[in-house]
Amino acid sequence: HYLRDRLAGDPAFGVLHEGQLIGWELIHDDGALGAAFVLPAFRRRGVMRSLQHAMVAALRERRQPSFKHVSLDNHGWLE
């Protein structure tokens, strides 16, 4: 139910490649970016960056703050 509830009113974005959903991002219930996923075969190609740029733009348009919780062991985010 969590993901369904997140899709109900907040912005959500996905990326398709040849008709397949390869990545998506939603807003957590606390308003943070990061309910997100990219298929392993498509990682490190800028998919998540594109999703996050779209999400931040949508939040700015709604005059909502954008923020993210990142675990210190998420080395991919820190690079």
Side-chain angles (χ1 to χ4, degrees):
H1 299 297
Y2 182 79
L3 293 178
R4 184 189 68 217
D5 292 346
R6 303 299 0 113
L7 287 167
D10 291 320
F13 293 93
V15 174
L16 297 174
H17 177 74
E18 297 179 357
Q20 178 186 12
L21 181 64
I22 63 164
W24 51 266
E25 182 164 27
L26 310 172
I27 299 291
H28 283 292
D29 57 3
D30 67 356
L33 284 74
F37 181 78
V38 174
L39 290 175
F42 293 92
R43 292 181 184 164
R44 308 211 47 87
R45 297 183 185 189
V47 174
M48 186 58 67
R49 179 173 290 151
S50 295
L51 287 165
Q52 291 185 349
H53 282 255
M55 184 64 76
V56 168
L59 292 172
R60 282 184 181 158
E61 189 174 301
R62 298 171 122 202
R63 298 179 186 231
Q64 290 178 248
S66 57
F67 63 97
K68 183 174 187 80
H69 304 291
V70 179
S71 173
L72 292 176
D73 64 352
N74 184 344
H75 302 287
W77 171 259
L78 299 172
E79 294 175 355

